[in-house]
């Protein structure tokens, strides 16, 4: 009987002695190693890409969510004066308020060409009368830049929610239409204009909701959402009611005055008639006395 183990050993020995055996073995091992390295790299890259996707998905929001977030943040802004806090300024012309006292209303009048005009904003000038930087009161977009023959250079900004700010009497302008401006960014410098010569070097500042100007002093250092929630119509309706209520009173007064004047006219006519009668009686008495003296 033949021993099988010896024959198998001989076969492996023959195979080992072949010249191609070890190169083939090296190639197979190298192929396995390369396959493992490539597989490991793919796994690692997939893990990294998955982490990146998660980070992007966490930080990414659709555009409409971004707009809502920006609008909410913008409404949390506090309305500032259009000048740097380090500059010493004062309001030289106030907003004309129909409900204010006469003394305050006089501070809201602007004299031009021998006529007084009601101010729809405030004129802000420096204490030393020198030029100063004019900054954005709120974040927004520049919608208009123009040169007005009476008001000087003008910049208009939109802040959403139908709210705009208006900067006039600028000497120099540092922005262009369409520019996105952050609160506190420089818009230009204060200058002079023909309409408000008495204000000297200043900036004319207005806040508008829709087509209606509001008193800027009522909203300085107040959040923007206070202005957003402010109802202009409710403010105007009481004024209209007061005017309507005053008109009947005026009519009643006119009617009373008219009645009194009629009474006065009647009294004057009666007095004139009495005076004429007295004069006629005196003339008659004088004639009688004269005739009596003649006969005597």
């Amino acid at each position: 009987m033949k021993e099988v183990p010896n024959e198998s050993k001989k076969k492996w020995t023959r195979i080992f002695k072949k010249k191609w055996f070890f190169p083939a073995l090296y190639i197979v091992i190298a192929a396995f190693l390369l396959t493992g390295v490539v597989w490991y790299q793919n796994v690692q890259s997939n893990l990294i890409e998955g982490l990146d996707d998660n980070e992007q998905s966490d930080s990414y929001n659709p555009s409409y969510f971004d707009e809502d977030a920006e609008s909410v943040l913008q409404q949390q802004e506090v309305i500032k004066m259009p000048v740097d806090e380090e500059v010493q300024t004062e309001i030289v012309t106030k907003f004309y308020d129909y409900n204010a006292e006469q003394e305050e209303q006089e501070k809201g009048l602007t004299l031009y060409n021998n006529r007084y005009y009601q101010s729809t904003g405030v004129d802000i000038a420096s204490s030393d009368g020198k030029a100063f930087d004019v900054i954005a009161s709120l974040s927004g977009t520049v919608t208009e830049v123009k040169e007005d023959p009476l008001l000087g250079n003008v910049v208009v900004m939109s802040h959403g929610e139908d709210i705009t700010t208006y900067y006039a009497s600028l000497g120099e302008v540092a922005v262009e239409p369409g520019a996105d401006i952050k609160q506190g960014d420089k818009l230009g410098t204060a200058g002079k204009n023909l309409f408000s010569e008495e204000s000297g070097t200043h900036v004319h500042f207005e806040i508008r909701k829709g087509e209606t100007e509001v008193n800027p002093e009522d909203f300085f250092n107040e959040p923007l959402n206070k202005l957003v929630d402010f109802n202009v119509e409710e403010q105007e309706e009481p004024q209209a009611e007061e005017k309507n209520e005053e008109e009947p009173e005026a009519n009643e007064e006119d009617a009373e005055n008219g009645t009194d004047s009629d009474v006065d006219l009647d009294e004057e006519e009666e007095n004139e008639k009495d005076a004429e009668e007295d004069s006629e009686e005196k003339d008659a008495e004088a004639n009688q006395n004269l005739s009596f003296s003649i006969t005597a």
Side-chain angles (χ1 to χ4, degrees), residues 54-70:
N54 290 332
E55 290 178 358
Q56 290 179 359
S57 62
D58 293 338
S59 61
Y60 173 75
N61 289 321
S63 59
Y64 52 88
F65 288 127
D66 291 339
E67 292 176 359
D68 292 342
E70 289 179 1

Side-chain angles (χ1 to χ4, degrees), residues 55-97:
E55 290 178 358
Q56 290 179 359
S57 62
D58 293 338
S59 61
Y60 173 75
N61 289 321
S63 59
Y64 52 88
F65 288 127
D66 291 339
E67 292 176 359
D68 292 342
E70 289 179 1
S71 63
V72 170
L73 290 174
Q74 187 173 342
Q75 288 186 20
Q76 294 176 354
E77 282 187 347
V78 175
I79 302 174
K80 298 292 186 181
M81 290 183 65
V83 296
D84 196 289
E85 294 180 354
E86 298 179 357
V87 180
Q88 297 295 327
T89 58
E90 58 182 343
I91 296 176
V92 294
T93 303
K94 291 182 172 290
F95 177 86
Y96 187 88
D97 188 353

Side-chain angles (χ1 to χ4, degrees), residues 29-50:
I29 294 173
F32 278 110
L33 291 175
L34 288 175
T35 303
V37 170
V38 172
W39 175 81
Y40 180 78
Q41 288 180 347
N42 289 333
V43 171
Q44 291 295 324
S45 62
N46 290 332
L47 290 174
I48 293 173
E49 289 178 358

Side-chain angles (χ1 to χ4, degrees), residues 101-118:
E101 299 293 333
Q102 183 177 357
E103 183 178 355
E104 291 295 318
Q105 288 181 345
E106 291 176 356
K107 296 179 181 179
L109 296 176
T110 300
L111 178 63
Y112 172 71
N113 198 18
N114 296 325
R115 292 184 60 185
Y116 284 98
Y117 294 85
Q118 299 166 352

Side-chain angles (χ1 to χ4, degrees), residues 19-279:
K19 294 181 178 180
W20 50 266
F21 175 77
F22 288 103
L25 180 63
Y26 294 150
I27 292 172
V28 171
I29 294 173
F32 278 110
L33 291 175
L34 288 175
T35 303
V37 170
V38 172
W39 175 81
Y40 180 78
Q41 288 180 347
N42 289 333
V43 171
Q44 291 295 324
S45 62
N46 290 332
L47 290 174
I48 293 173
E49 289 178 358
L51 292 174
D52 292 339
D53 292 338
N54 290 332
E55 290 178 358
Q56 290 179 359
S57 62
D58 293 338
S59 61
Y60 173 75
N61 289 321
S63 59
Y64 52 88
F65 288 127
D66 291 339
E67 292 176 359
D68 292 342
E70 289 179 1
S71 63
V72 170
L73 290 174
Q74 187 173 342
Q75 288 186 20
Q76 294 176 354
E77 282 187 347
V78 175
I79 302 174
K80 298 292 186 181
M81 290 183 65
V83 296
D84 196 289
E85 294 180 354
E86 298 179 357
V87 180
Q88 297 295 327
T89 58
E90 58 182 343
I91 296 176
V92 294
T93 303
K94 291 182 172 290
F95 177 86
Y96 187 88
D97 188 353
Y98 289 93
N99 299 321
E101 299 293 333
Q102 183 177 357
E103 183 178 355
E104 291 295 318
Q105 288 181 345
E106 291 176 356
K107 296 179 181 179
L109 296 176
T110 300
L111 178 63
Y112 172 71
N113 198 18
N114 296 325
R115 292 184 60 185
Y116 284 98
Y117 294 85
Q118 299 166 352
S119 175
T120 54
V122 292
D123 291 350
I124 304 172
S126 61
S127 301
D128 56 7
K130 295 181 180 179
F132 54 90
D133 290 342
V134 177
I135 62 176
S137 177
L138 289 165
S139 300
T141 303
V142 177
T143 57
E144 185 178 10
V145 176
K146 65 179 180 180
E147 183 177 357
D148 190 277
L150 292 179
L151 302 176
N153 291 320
V154 177
V155 172
V156 182
M157 289 185 61
S158 174
H159 310 282
E161 302 292 342
D162 209 19
I163 294 173
T164 57
T165 52
Y166 181 91
Y167 310 78
S169 188
L170 298 178
E172 296 179 359
V173 177
V175 295
E176 296 180 354
D180 292 328
I181 304 298
K182 297 296 183 183
Q183 186 181 46
D185 288 350
K186 180 179 177 180
L187 301 179
T189 57
K192 297 181 179 180
N193 61 28
L194 296 176
F195 185 73
S196 304
E197 287 184 332
E198 294 183 352
S199 297
T201 302
H202 70 285
V203 57
H204 177 77
F205 177 71
E206 296 182 8
I207 299 177
R208 300 174 180 176
K209 185 172 183 183
E211 299 296 328
T212 305
E213 298 87 1
V214 299
N215 189 350
E217 292 188 79
D218 291 342
F219 296 97
F220 283 147
N221 298 321
E222 297 289 345
L224 179 60
N225 56 11
K226 179 181 178 180
L227 179 58
V228 173
D229 297 336
F230 180 70
N231 194 331
V232 179
E233 295 179 356
E234 289 183 357
Q235 183 187 22
E236 294 177 349
E237 285 177 359
Q239 293 179 355
E241 290 176 359
E242 289 176 2
K243 291 181 180 179
N244 293 332
E245 290 176 357
E246 290 174 358
E247 287 178 358
E249 292 178 0
N251 292 333
E252 290 176 2
E253 291 178 358
D254 293 338
E256 291 176 358
N257 294 332
T259 304
D260 294 339
S261 62
D262 293 339
V263 173
D264 293 337
L265 290 174
D266 293 338
E267 290 179 354
E268 289 178 359
E269 290 177 356
E270 290 178 358
N271 292 333
E272 289 177 357
K273 289 180 181 179
D274 293 338
E276 290 177 358
E277 290 176 357
D278 292 339
S279 62

